Amino acid sequence: ARLAVGVDEWNSHPAVTPEMMGRSAGKVETIEAMLARLGGPFAPEHAGACSRAAPEASVLAQPVVPERLRFVGSPSFDPRPYLDSTSREHYVKPIQTAKELPEDVRVPHVSVRCGRAASLRLLSLLDRGQRLALVPSSQVRRKLRSGIFTVPKDQARDRMVMDSRPANLAEDGGDRWIGSLGTLSQFHHLFVGPDQAVDIFAEDLREFYHAFLVGHERQIRNALAMEYRPSELAHLASFRDELSSEEWITPCLSTLAMGDCRAVGFGQTSHLSVILRHSELTLNQFVTLTGRPPRQGLAAGLLIDDFVLLDRVARGDAPGSGEAKRLMEQVHRAYEIAGLPRHDAKSVSGVRRAEFWGGLVDGDQGSVRPNPKRTIPLASLLLKTVQGGVASSKLLEILSGGLVSAFQLRRRLLCLLSSVYVEQQGPRAPNASFRAPRALLA
């Protein structure tokens, strides 16, 4: 009977369209293209024995198309008052706190992935939102400059990522507050009585990292792998008269960025601090990587820019009538005080069923499950892989990532991935196709 509830939900779910998949749509398209190239019944022409090397699979990292990027206003959040002393020092002085790299360390090659004309449009976009700094090239660490690429966000927009691997090499990405990250699996331990239901409240901050104000040293840390003559950038608002005498100018990102090894720590720590400082919520009400929800009262959780608050109420009460609504109003005021922009369209207030953190939570049923908008496309791709009987190490790597994400809510199922990982080992090229053995198909 318990299994039937899940099966019925699966069977009654509407078709999952690319619009519903959001950022996962690009990954699904990538796997479909890989299956077509590998052979089997889903190839354009049915292939026989597969021992050839498949063409390089498309990747999710995409060139920058400035017109597909959206930024909200200009940076408005100063995290320094909300960081602990160690985090604050690393935030303000990323170069002074960086370690010296030995001469023989191999630094990854990075680039801003677009042509010259598109690069200038990108700089203009960043400049309009006050997210660009221009500095003499003599001031930047040339070997540790960063690149930029994008990943699909939805059908109309991309998300900008800074390829900060060179600068990350010189920094320690550790942060003790990473342990405060919320995880969906902890809500399995939320005790809900037979006469209770759960009201769900959720907030999502818009372009979270790009709302961060940064100082001059972090701007230089975010130097981009490009150079321009002063005359090429003189039209930008961030251009200063003293730059006219420089031979070369390096653009720098003037905000925090996805791709910075410390961005998650800075984001989690400061966001948590904003909520705790300006509301009645306390740390022991939060689920964390190792901390379960309290046995009674409210249960909160924070995953970088996504905040949720669960309220156990009497089953007959109207949704949203409990204490959580008042506390969420305090959180909203906290965001206003701190200068953090809310995403109104993603705000959830007092509902009994909601999607967050990659999962679907039902407060009436008392269930927590992976989001069907992700698992249904994944199941379809797994079925095609099994029916085709052909795989590659690269394909298995991507599929196993999706399975690990789904199985976080049923961790015992992770043991089923043994054969998947075994077949990724060995001397095969990542995209070389092979007949999938029976254990793998099972």
Side-chain angles (χ1 to χ4, degrees):
R2 293 179 64 185
L3 182 61
V5 174
V7 174
D8 290 343
E9 175 136 5
W10 182 281
N11 290 337
S12 63
H13 199 282
V16 180
T17 63
E19 293 83 1
M20 295 167 67
M21 292 183 217
R23 70 190 69 173
S24 300
K27 184 176 291 187
V28 171
E29 291 173 355
T30 294
I31 300 175
E32 288 178 336
M34 294 176 75
L35 288 169
R37 292 183 179 120
L38 285 171
F42 302 101
E45 296 180 4
H46 181 70
C50 295
S51 59
R52 67 197 185 286
E56 183 69 27
S58 59
V59 293
L60 290 178
Q62 300 290 334
V64 179
V65 179
E67 291 72 23
R68 287 181 56 87
L69 298 175
R70 303 285 188 275
F71 298 107
V72 179
S74 57
S76 54
F77 174 56
D78 182 358
R80 292 175 301 171
Y82 301 100
L83 295 172
D84 62 273
S85 57
T86 302
S87 297
R88 188 183 306 116
E89 184 178 22
H90 283 282
Y91 189 80
V92 176
K93 302 175 181 177
I95 297 177
Q96 294 181 55
T97 56
K99 59 188 177 185
E100 287 290 334
L101 291 179
E103 289 294 329
D104 59 346
V105 169
R106 190 171 182 178
V107 178
H109 172 74
V110 299
S111 64
V112 178
R113 296 189 57 180
C114 57
R116 195 77 170 176
S119 294
L120 287 169
R121 298 202 307 275
L122 172 63
L123 296 182
S124 294
L125 177 65
L126 294 173
D127 185 65
R128 289 196 297 273
Q130 299 177 29
R131 294 179 174 90
L132 179 68
L134 303 176
V135 302
S137 294
S138 58
Q139 294 183 10
V140 307
R141 304 173 297 175
R142 188 172 184 83
K143 287 177 61 176
L144 303 185
R145 295 180 302 173
S146 297
I148 287 181
F149 61 90
T150 61
V151 293
K153 189 172 184 179
D154 54 40
Q155 289 190 309
R157 297 174 299 166
D158 292 335
R159 187 186 301 277
M160 187 179 77
V161 181
M162 189 169 69
D163 188 353
S164 193
R165 289 174 295 161
N168 289 344
L169 284 175
E171 299 177 15
D172 175 15
D175 191 300
R176 60 179 177 168
W177 286 98
I178 291 294
S180 69
L181 287 165
T183 173
L184 201 63
S185 62
Q186 292 291 14
F187 286 122
H188 273 308
H189 304 290
L190 186 74
F191 177 80
V192 182
D195 58 344
Q196 289 181 314
V198 177
D199 286 348
I200 305 167
F201 296 78
E203 288 296 331
D204 184 17
L205 297 177
R206 301 188 67 178
E207 292 290 339
F208 182 47
Y209 292 152
H210 298 147
F212 278 61
L213 293 160
V214 299
H216 181 63
E217 192 167 319
R218 183 156 290 277
Q219 290 173 343
I220 294 177
R221 188 264 182 214
N222 291 345
L224 302 177
M226 50 170 59
E227 288 183 314
Y228 291 89
R229 298 289 187 183
S231 58
E232 297 178 277
L233 304 179
H235 64 287
L236 297 175
S238 50
F239 188 87
R240 307 181 308 279
D241 291 340
E242 57 265 31
L243 294 172
S244 300
S245 59
E246 297 292 334
E247 183 177 6
W248 292 102
I249 297 174
T250 296
C252 304
L253 187 66
S254 184
T255 187
L256 196 58
M258 181 180 293
D260 182 331
C261 65
R262 281 189 165 270
V264 170
F266 293 143
Q268 178 73 11
T269 307
S270 57
H271 190 175
L272 180 62
S273 181
V274 166
I275 293 172
L276 294 176
R277 189 172 299 183
H278 298 297
S279 76
E280 296 173 28
L281 288 166
T282 59
L283 192 57
N284 60 10
Q285 293 174 296
F286 281 73
V287 299
T288 65
L289 292 180
T290 58
R292 295 184 177 184
R295 293 286 289 177
Q296 298 177 348
L298 300 168
L302 179 65
L303 190 59
I304 310 174
D305 57 340
D306 293 331
F307 172 66
V308 297
L309 187 61
L310 273 55
D311 191 6
R312 285 166 279 206
V313 297
R315 184 167 288 277
D317 290 353
S321 58
E323 183 187 9
K325 185 173 182 179
R326 179 180 63 84
L327 290 175
M328 287 303 292
E329 291 173 353
Q330 294 178 0
V331 172
H332 293 169
R333 286 195 295 273
Y335 291 156
E336 292 178 9
I337 292 169
L340 285 169
R342 289 174 55 221
H343 200 312
D344 292 335
K346 292 187 177 181
S347 181
V348 172
S349 180
V351 300
R352 295 278 164 89
R353 184 181 172 96
E355 302 171 3
F356 60 87
W357 299 358
L360 175 62
V361 178
D362 191 313
D364 275 324
Q365 220 178 60
S367 65
V368 182
R369 61 188 299 158
N371 195 329
K373 294 176 185 177
R374 295 187 181 186
T375 51
I376 288 175
L378 175 62
S380 174
L381 295 168
L382 291 170
L383 181 60
K384 289 180 180 179
T385 303
V386 171
Q387 290 173 333
V390 182
S392 72
S393 296
K394 189 66 177 178
L395 173 65
L396 295 181
E397 180 183 319
I398 299 175
L399 290 175
S400 60
L403 285 166
V404 167
S405 176
F407 288 171
Q408 287 300 302
L409 292 173
R410 290 289 184 273
R411 293 193 178 186
R412 293 177 182 178
L413 295 179
L414 289 168
C415 67
L416 299 175
L417 297 180
S418 290
S419 296
V420 182
Y421 285 115
V422 167
E423 294 301 330
Q424 293 180 47
Q425 300 172 356
R428 294 192 194 100
N431 293 295
S433 59
F434 60 88
R435 287 286 184 191
R438 183 176 298 177
L440 175 63
L441 296 179

